[in-house]
């Protein structure tokens, strides 16, 4: 019976009063399914979950990755610390994060502390544009957070933080200013040689290096020193240049990524024996298309191409995306394909690109991805986010039954049960398919014949999916609670 109640809890056609009954103590086993797996709730049910006396119900809603973030956000002032911490944390490990509403974020930033606030910072639920507004917030604790955005702030914004009326804000801003001060860096490190730990490595990698520290890094035998010098933005050219001959390709790769790399060193690294180094050089912005084409770079097609959490990034530059979309280099076209604002002409162009990564990234990330591209990407791509393609609003579901119900590959037969026009007989047959996901999808299909649907309620494996079928008669739904 527990499985049937779980299915009923997520049934999109279940009436509100039935869902409210499932929130009663006698149906405790269905609480988690109801609160954590439904994508929508009638308003009266949302209100009942948010005010439910048992925190386990509210915790489940706080981590529901399917529901609108605004619904989760109604728990922002929950009396239970653990519920608030769940809301602050990432809702799901593998699904893309969606941002919380601004009002919810502001409430959390001004009332949460400790682990819950730390969970929020690492959850990726705060949009980049909201973070850019920290500096004008009335609360000093939030303005202090603006210093973490230092690289993105204007000179006026930095000056305002350095002259903030609150001493902690000023101190935090000064600390960021000190990262570009070699003498401050020496004071922070202390006497040389310094102990090797995370804190000192952070300083060596990100702060301006003084001559004394550079000399020590060059003399010290630690194997990480060359990588630090290759990475640090302030390493002088005369120290950078000899590193192109370093035997460790990780050091040369770091050099290839430097924004200030001298043209002569770019030329040398373009012929590097390591393909990763050559590839990193080939995407440098200053190169012409012919110069890129002359480099023997590699393009990996085995990596994961998935949806990008665009809200966590600055808005793409339209001119840069356009240039990348026109590029002959597939890795640059992949960057363009991730831009959700890419104009229609470039979308049409990249939808037929000969690179799998370009096509799949476009399918995942553009709201106007062409339906044929979405289907093609699902059929050709085998990465972790593949199934998310079928959730795209433009994924072409009609006609999939006729095309894929008899496909040899089970992952193609799974497409058949997405077709709203799937024939009843085909749905019935697919409930007996060798693949478990196909059987489950067919059992949930609203065109499954009524007799077969009712019979499957008694099936140990498929009963839960039968109870989730929106075509299940309401009288039968109510009978499951009797």
């Amino acid at each position: 019976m527990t499985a049937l109640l779980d299915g009923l809890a997520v049934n999109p056609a279940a009436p509100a009063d039935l869902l409210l009954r499932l929130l009663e103590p006698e149906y405790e086993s269905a609480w988690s399914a109801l609160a954590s797996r439904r994508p929508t709730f009638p308003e009266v049910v949302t209100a009942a979950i948010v005010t439910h006396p048992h925190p386990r119900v509210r915790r489940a809603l706080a981590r529901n990755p399917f529901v609108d973030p605004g619904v989760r956000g109604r728990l922002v002032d929950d009396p239970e610390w653990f519920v608030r911490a769940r809301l602050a944390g990432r809702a799901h490990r593998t699904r893309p994060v969606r941002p919380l509403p601004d009002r919810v974020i502001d409430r959390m930033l001004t009332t949460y502390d400790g682990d819950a606030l730390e969970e929020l910072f690492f959850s990726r639920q705060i949009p980049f544009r909201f973070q850019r507004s920290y500096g004008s917030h009335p609360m000093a604790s939030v303005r202090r957070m603006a210093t973490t955005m230092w690289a993105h702030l204007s000179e006026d914004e930095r000056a305002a933080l350095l002259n903030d009326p609150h001493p902690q804000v000023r101190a935090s801003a000064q600390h960021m200013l000190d990262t570009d001060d070699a003498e401050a860096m020496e004071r922070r490190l202390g006497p040389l040689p310094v102990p090797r730990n995370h804190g000192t490595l952070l300083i060596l990698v990100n702060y301006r290096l003084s001559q004394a520290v550079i000399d020590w890094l060059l003399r010290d035998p630690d194997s990480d020193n060359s990588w630090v010098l290759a990475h640090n933005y302030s390493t002088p050219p005369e120290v950078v240049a000899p590193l192109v001959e370093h035997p460790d390709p990780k050091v040369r790769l770091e050099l290839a990524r430097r924004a200030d790399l001298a043209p002569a060193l770019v030329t040398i690294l373009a012929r590097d024996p390591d393909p990763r180094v050559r590839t990193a050089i080939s995407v440098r912005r200053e190169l012409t298309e012919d110069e890129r084409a002359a480099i023997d770079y590699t393009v990996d097609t085995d990596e994961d191409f998935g949806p990008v959490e665009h809200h966590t990034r600055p808005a793409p530059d339209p001119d840069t995306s356009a240039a990348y979309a026109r590029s002959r280099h597939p890795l640059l076209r992949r960057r363009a394909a991730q831009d959700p604002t890419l104009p229609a002409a470039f979308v049409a162009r990249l939808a037929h690109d000969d690179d799998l990564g370009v096509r799949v990234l476009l399918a995942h990330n553009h709201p106007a991805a062409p339906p044929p591209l979405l289907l093609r990407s699902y059929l050709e791509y085998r990465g972790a986010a593949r199934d998310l393609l079928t959730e795209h609003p433009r994924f072409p579901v009609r006609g999939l039954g006729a095309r894929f119900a008899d496909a040899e590959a089970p992952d193609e037969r799974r497409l058949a049960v997405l077709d709203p026009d799937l024939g009843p007989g085909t749905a019935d047959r697919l409930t007996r398919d060798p693949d478990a996901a196909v059987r489950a999808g067919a059992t949930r299909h609203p065109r499954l014949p009524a007799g077969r649907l009712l019979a499957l309620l008694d099936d140990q494996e498929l009963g839960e999916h039968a109870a989730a079928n929106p075509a299940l008669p309401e009288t039968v739904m109510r009978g499951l609670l009797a």
Side-chain angles (χ1 to χ4, degrees):
M1 181 57 75
T2 297
L4 293 178
L5 293 180
D6 282 354
L8 190 58
V10 299
N11 191 314
D17 67 298
L18 186 149
L19 297 177
L20 290 174
R21 283 190 62 192
L22 287 174
L23 290 172
E24 295 174 0
E26 63 182 299
Y27 303 114
E28 181 179 356
S29 64
W31 286 355
S32 178
L34 173 59
S36 70
R37 287 165 46 192
R38 285 187 69 93
T40 60
F41 300 94
E43 169 55 29
V44 65
V45 178
T46 301
I49 293 175
V50 170
T51 59
H52 197 279
H54 202 297
R56 187 157 64 85
V57 176
R58 307 194 306 272
R59 288 201 305 266
L61 177 63
R63 278 292 175 90
N64 185 328
F66 308 104
V67 77
D68 185 275
V71 174
R72 296 176 56 239
R74 291 171 66 167
L75 296 166
V76 66
D77 291 316
D78 194 275
E80 186 80 19
W81 174 87
F82 198 54
V83 174
R84 300 195 302 274
R86 282 288 185 95
L87 175 64
R90 185 178 180 128
H92 197 275
R93 281 187 173 184
T94 59
R95 297 184 67 84
V97 172
R98 291 187 287 173
L100 288 167
D102 288 2
R103 58 176 176 77
V104 174
I105 297 170
D106 188 74
R107 182 67 176 167
M108 298 167 90
L109 292 177
T110 55
T111 62
Y112 287 20
D113 57 17
D115 291 343
L117 200 55
E118 187 172 347
E119 283 276 341
L120 177 64
F121 292 151
F122 288 101
S123 71
R124 304 174 68 84
Q125 296 184 100
I126 307 178
F128 177 83
R129 58 160 183 79
F130 191 98
Q131 296 177 51
R132 284 286 284 108
S133 71
Y134 286 166
S136 59
H137 198 278
M139 280 189 63
S141 61
V142 179
R143 295 199 304 278
R144 184 181 179 186
M145 297 174 195
T147 62
T148 64
M149 303 289 291
W150 197 257
H152 301 284
L153 302 182
S154 67
E155 290 301 319
D156 288 344
E157 289 170 323
R158 292 181 180 184
L161 294 171
L162 288 165
N163 294 284
D164 193 273
H166 198 284
Q168 290 187 350
V169 178
R170 295 196 303 272
S172 185
Q174 185 60 50
H175 173 76
M176 295 306 299
L177 199 64
D178 286 348
T179 63
D180 199 40
D181 184 331
E183 292 183 1
M185 185 262 199
E186 281 193 18
R187 290 193 299 270
R188 190 163 180 80
L189 274 180
L192 299 175
V194 299
R196 296 302 180 128
N197 54 46
H198 178 72
T200 56
L201 182 61
L202 190 68
I203 296 171
L204 291 169
V205 166
N206 296 299
Y207 282 50
R208 178 173 289 279
L209 300 173
S210 70
Q211 189 59 52
V213 173
I214 291 172
D215 291 342
W216 165 66
L217 288 170
L218 290 171
R219 292 192 311 267
D220 188 87
D222 191 284
S223 59
D224 288 335
N225 289 351
S226 294
W227 185 93
V228 169
L229 291 167
H231 175 90
N232 191 289
Y233 74 99
S234 69
T235 305
E238 65 271 17
V239 177
V240 168
L243 294 175
V244 296
E245 305 294 339
H246 198 281
D248 189 344
K250 292 195 295 293
V251 173
R252 305 195 306 275
L253 178 60
E254 206 60 28
L255 282 183
R257 294 167 174 164
R258 289 185 68 91
D260 63 350
L261 195 63
L265 302 184
V266 171
T267 301
I268 293 172
L269 292 178
R271 301 189 298 267
D272 193 272
D274 192 289
R276 295 171 300 170
V277 177
R278 298 194 304 271
T279 301
I281 288 292
S282 72
V283 294
R284 292 184 65 86
R285 296 186 65 166
E286 71 267 28
L287 297 183
T288 67
E289 286 296 298
D290 288 342
E291 287 170 335
R292 295 187 207 287
I295 299 173
D296 182 21
Y297 59 79
T298 60
V299 177
D300 188 0
T301 57
D302 293 332
E303 62 185 88
D304 284 336
F305 306 116
V308 174
E309 292 160 346
H310 300 285
H311 64 278
T312 65
R313 300 178 170 192
D317 175 65
D319 292 339
T320 300
S321 289
Y324 287 167
R326 297 187 191 100
S327 175
R328 304 202 305 265
H329 199 306
L331 296 184
L332 293 183
R333 298 199 304 276
R334 287 180 187 181
R335 294 181 185 179
Q338 296 177 51
D339 184 350
T341 64
L342 198 67
F346 289 122
V347 171
R349 177 177 182 159
L350 297 185
H352 298 284
D353 198 276
D354 58 6
D355 179 73
L356 175 68
V358 172
R359 297 194 304 273
V360 175
L361 285 168
L362 184 69
H364 270 299
N365 291 288
H366 205 284
L373 170 69
L374 293 166
L375 179 57
R376 179 185 179 185
S377 297
Y378 176 87
L379 294 173
E380 295 178 343
Y381 177 57
R382 295 293 184 271
R386 178 194 191 195
D387 287 342
L388 293 177
L389 290 165
T390 65
E391 299 178 19
H392 195 291
R394 292 169 61 87
F395 193 86
V397 292
R398 294 193 182 276
L400 295 182
R403 182 173 175 183
F404 294 109
D406 296 309
E408 182 177 348
D411 56 349
E412 294 184 10
R413 295 199 301 279
R414 290 170 201 162
L415 293 173
V417 299
L418 301 177
D419 187 348
D421 301 323
L422 186 68
T426 304
D428 186 322
R429 173 168 60 82
L430 291 178
T431 62
R432 301 171 175 84
D433 193 90
D435 183 76
V438 176
R439 295 194 299 272
T443 303
R444 288 174 178 250
H445 202 284
R447 300 201 70 194
L448 183 66
R452 178 62 174 161
L453 173 58
L454 295 177
L456 286 174
L457 288 171
D458 295 324
D459 187 279
Q460 185 174 0
E461 177 202 0
L462 298 175
E464 177 178 346
H465 301 290
N469 191 313
L472 194 67
E474 187 175 322
T475 54
V476 177
M477 294 185 193
R478 296 187 184 281
L480 295 177
L481 300 184

